[in-house]
Amino acid sequence: MHAPEYVLALDQGTTSSRAILFDSNGHARSTANMEFKQHYPRPGWVEHDAEEIWHSQRAVAERALREAKARPEDIAAIGITNQRETVVLWDRETGKPIHPAIVWQCRRTAPMCDRIRQEGFDKTLRRKTGLMTDAYFSGTKIAWLLEHVHGARRRAEQGDLCAGTIDSWLIWNLTRGVAHSTDVSNASRTLLFNIRTLDWDQEILDYFKIPRSLLPKVHPSSGVIAETDLFGPRIPIAGIAGDQQASLFGHQCFKRGAAKNTYGTGLFLLMNAGTKIPRSKSGLVGTVAWRRDGKTTYALEGSVFIAGAALQWLRDEVKLLDNAADSEKMAESVADTGGVYFVPAFVGLGAPHWDAYARGTIVGITRGTNRHHLVRAALESIAYQTREVVDAMTRDSGARPEVLRVDGGAARNNFLCQFQADILGVPVERPRSTESTALGAAYLAGLAVGFWKDEAALAPHYHTQRRFEPEMKESRREELYAGWKRAVERSKGWAR
Ligand code: ADP
C-alpha cells in the first residue's frame, strides 16, 4: 500500500462548484469547475437550487479525480469550503430540500432586521455573535423559512427537518444522511451561534423560535468529522471552513495581525485577531476564523458588497469597456480621475458604514471627464473601500497590517494593486497561487490527518508572484482619501 498522494478540496462558491486535487507541495494537480443557475424570483431576492449545487459539486469532484487518474485510496482527506450564510432546509427522512436555498445576497429579511433593531435585540446579537443585524447573515433566513413554508414550523418542532449552511448540506449528501454537521467558522455566520461558548445560543434560538434539533452539530474546522464512501473506499472529511476564512488560512495568515483581501464581486478583508474575541467599535464584525488543535482563532472582517461588480456594471450596463481586464490600460492612460469619485453603493453600503439606503453615486464630473476617468474611478473605489476597512481594523485592533495579501479576480489588475499599496501606505502582495480558498480547505483537512505535519510545513508552499510597494507621497494620499470620504457622505441615505 502506498501513501495517499492528494487532498481533495471541494470549493462550493456562489456561482460555481469547483473541485481541486492538491499534492503535498500544495500544487493543484487537477481542477474541475461547473457553473450553476442563479434564481431571482423577486427584486432583491436570490435563490439557488440546493440539489443542483450538490449534483454539480459531486460531478466536479468525480471529474477532478478522473483527470488526475486518482483513485479514492490516493486521497488522504476531503476539505470543504463554501459560500457562506446561504441556508438550506431539508427533510430528514427523504433528504430533499423543502424550499430553494436562500442565498447570502438575498434581502428578503431586511424588514425583519428593521423589527429586530426596533426591539433592541440587535445589541444582544452583536454581543453574542459578533455580527450586525443584517439580512446578509443566516439566522433571519431560517426564521423566514419556518414562518413562510407551509407546515415547516410544525415539522421542525417534531424534529423532522434539518437546516444548515452549504457545508452541512454537502456533508449530509456525502455521508448519505449520516452526518448533520458544520464547523465553527460557518456557524459563526448564522447569527445564532455564540462565539464565546462556541455553541448555538439558547436565548437567540428562543427569540427566533428555532428549535435546536433543527441545527447541525458544530465541529472544529480541522479534524475528521465523518467519512464518505461515494467515490469508492472511505475517505475522511477532515476540514471545513467558510470561503473567506478558508482563504485567510490558504494565504497562511496564521499570525495575529496578518490580513488578506479578496477582490471578487464584493471584497472581503479578514485579519487574524488571535485567540481573543475581537470587539469592533468601527463597523466590522468579529467572527471565528477556525478552530483546530483545541484552539480557536478569531478574525476581524470587513465585508464590502460591491468591488469588481462596479467594473462589471460599467462593462455590461454602461458599455464603457469590453472586458474587465481592459480597465488596467484604460486607468493607466490618464494621470488621475480628474477629481471624479465613484461610490458603487448599488445595494447600500456594508462595512464599515452599514447603510442599506445608500446608492451608487458619481461626483466631480466636469466637461473634461471621459470614460478613462470613470473606469479609473471605479478601480480606485475598490482601493478606497479597502482603506476604510483597514482604517477601521487599525482603530479596533491597534495594529495596522504590515502587508496585505490579495486574491480574487480583480487582484489580477496591476493598476489596482499599485493604487491599493499607495492609498494604504502598506505593501500589497499577490501570491502565485490564485486558489487560496480551496487551498485553505485542503490545508485544514490535510493537517487533520497528518498529510502535512504542522503550519510550518506549509510555509515553503507560499510564493509571492508580485509585491507592490507604496510610492505615493503621504500628502497626496491623504488629499485623495479625503475626497473619497466626502463622496461617500453624498451617497448615504439616498433611497430613504
Ligand atoms: P466571484 O468569486 O465573486 O464571482 P471573482 O474572484 O471570479 O469573483 O472575480 C470576478 C470579479 O472581478 C468581477 O466582478 C470582475 O469584474 C472583476 N475582474 C476580473 N478581472 C479583472 C481585472 N483584470 N481588473 C478588474 N476587475 C476584474
Side-chain angles (χ1 to χ4, degrees):
M1 250 238 4
H2 64 291
E5 290 172 65
Y6 305 112
V7 172
L8 174 62
L10 306 183
D11 178 1
Q12 205 304 302
T14 307
T15 56
S16 69
S17 298
R18 294 156 74 67
I20 305 184
L21 265 188
F22 289 104
D23 66 19
S24 60
N25 294 315
H27 290 146
R29 268 300 288 275
S30 65
T31 300
N33 188 66
M34 192 182 282
E35 291 199 6
F36 56 86
K37 209 163 171 308
Q38 310 289 313
H39 300 270
Y40 306 104
R42 293 191 202 178
W45 289 32
V46 189
E47 295 179 348
H48 289 159
D49 176 347
E51 298 263 38
E52 189 184 358
I53 286 183
W54 163 240
H55 292 309
S56 62
Q57 192 61 65
R58 180 177 181 163
V60 292
E62 285 167 350
R63 183 150 27 104
L65 290 172
R66 236 181 1 256
E67 275 175 20
K69 299 199 170 57
R71 297 159 308 163
E73 48 270 40
D74 298 328
I75 313 300
I78 292 177
I80 296 174
T81 181
N82 53 287
Q83 53 167 319
R84 303 178 303 172
E85 297 102 8
T86 299
V87 295
V88 186
L89 196 57
W90 68 93
D91 184 311
R92 200 179 277 282
E93 199 57 43
T94 64
K96 296 284 171 225
I98 66 163
H99 189 274
I102 303 185
V103 178
W104 60 274
Q105 297 151 319
C106 186
R107 306 308 296 178
R108 81 182 64 190
T109 59
M112 194 191 297
C113 292
D114 289 340
R115 278 203 306 282
I116 296 169
R117 272 190 297 273
Q118 277 157 19
E119 291 172 9
F121 197 67
D122 57 321
K123 293 181 196 64
T124 305
L125 292 173
R126 179 99 174 122
R127 182 166 48 80
K128 291 187 156 182
T129 70
L131 305 177
M132 302 290 176
T133 297
D134 191 274
Y136 171 36
F137 302 107
S138 319
T140 58
K141 300 179 198 290
I142 297 176
W144 187 96
L145 286 167
L146 293 184
E147 219 165 279
H148 290 86
V149 180
H150 181 70
R153 178 165 313 282
R154 182 182 45 76
R155 294 175 64 200
E157 278 161 7
Q158 289 167 355
D160 295 343
L161 300 180
C162 295
T165 39
I166 294 296
D167 53 314
S168 299
W169 172 242
L170 296 180
I171 293 165
W172 175 272
N173 282 289
L174 282 165
T175 62
R176 306 176 199 266
V178 170
H180 183 206
S181 297
T182 189
D183 91 300
V184 285
S185 75
N186 276 292
S188 77
R189 312 299 295 181
T190 58
L191 213 60
L192 308 175
F193 188 72
N194 187 314
I195 60 171
R196 189 177 56 78
T197 63
L198 301 180
D199 193 7
W200 305 116
D201 188 279
Q202 198 56 49
E203 182 188 5
I204 300 176
L205 297 185
D206 291 345
Y207 179 85
F208 283 116
K209 301 193 183 69
I210 295 175
R212 187 176 275 263
S213 63
L214 188 65
L215 299 173
K217 179 161 185 256
V218 186
H219 297 261
S221 318
S222 185
V224 177
I225 62 140
E227 292 181 319
T228 178
D229 61 2
L230 280 193
F231 308 105
R234 289 171 181 277
I235 308 173
I237 301 169
I240 320 174
D243 53 7
Q244 300 305 327
Q245 286 96 330
S247 158
L248 190 69
F249 202 84
H251 276 284
Q252 303 199 28
C253 293
F254 300 140
K255 287 215 188 77
R256 189 170 167 265
K260 71 89 199 177
N261 196 11
T262 299
Y263 302 98
T265 303
L267 70 84
F268 296 90
L269 209 164
L270 273 75
M271 184 170 90
N272 184 321
T275 51
K276 283 212 198 71
I277 297 177
R279 297 287 172 196
S280 175
K281 293 195 171 69
S282 314
L284 305 175
V285 305
T287 204
V288 177
W290 52 75
R291 181 172 168 82
R292 60 179 224 90
D293 283 346
K295 210 176 79 189
T296 306
T297 299
Y298 293 90
L300 259 179
E301 172 171 330
S303 340
V304 171
F305 301 137
I306 304 291
L311 275 304
Q312 258 167 3
W313 177 75
L314 286 180
R315 183 193 64 192
D316 300 341
E317 310 303 328
V318 194
K319 312 225 184 295
L320 281 194
L321 65 173
D322 291 330
N323 64 67
D326 291 347
S327 63
E328 183 174 326
K329 289 277 163 304
M330 290 176 76
E332 283 169 347
S333 74
V334 286
D336 51 39
T337 66
V340 172
Y341 287 92
F342 177 3
V343 185
F346 302 157
V347 292
L349 289 169
H353 305 287
W354 300 98
D355 181 343
Y357 303 100
R359 287 296 177 268
T361 303
I362 301 178
V363 295
I365 300 171
T366 63
R367 187 64 185 79
T369 301
N370 64 37
R371 62 200 186 103
H372 297 91
H373 295 117
L374 291 175
V375 167
R376 183 169 172 132
L379 287 173
E380 290 189 357
S381 79
I382 300 175
Y384 289 128
Q385 293 187 95
T386 300
R387 161 94 188 246
E388 291 184 314
V389 170
V390 170
D391 283 4
M393 277 181 181
T394 307
R395 276 197 300 280
D396 283 339
S397 71
R400 203 164 179 83
E402 285 165 20
V403 56
L404 186 66
R405 293 184 165 177
V406 300
D407 66 346
R412 285 194 290 265
N413 191 302
N414 294 315
F415 168 81
L416 171 61
C417 292
Q418 183 58 52
F419 191 79
Q420 185 68 80
D422 285 340
I423 222 64
L424 281 178
V426 168
V428 165
E429 211 172 81
R430 191 167 61 195
R432 213 188 287 160
S433 165
T434 53
E435 299 291 356
S436 42
T437 302
L439 196 52
Y443 284 162
L444 287 165
L447 285 167
V449 297
F451 187 72
W452 291 292
K453 187 166 155 282
D454 52 20
E455 287 171 5
L458 307 176
H461 306 171
Y462 185 88
H463 302 282
T464 302
Q465 186 258 340
R466 187 162 165 191
R467 187 175 158 108
F468 300 83
E469 298 291 341
E471 286 165 0
M472 190 180 277
K473 285 232 299 270
E474 170 91 27
S475 55
R476 175 80 179 138
R477 167 189 310 149
E478 295 312 317
E479 179 194 333
L480 286 172
Y481 187 54
W484 167 261
K485 284 193 184 159
R486 288 171 59 214
V488 169
E489 288 311 313
R490 297 285 194 286
S491 78
K492 284 186 178 171
W494 184 258
R496 222 182 282 270

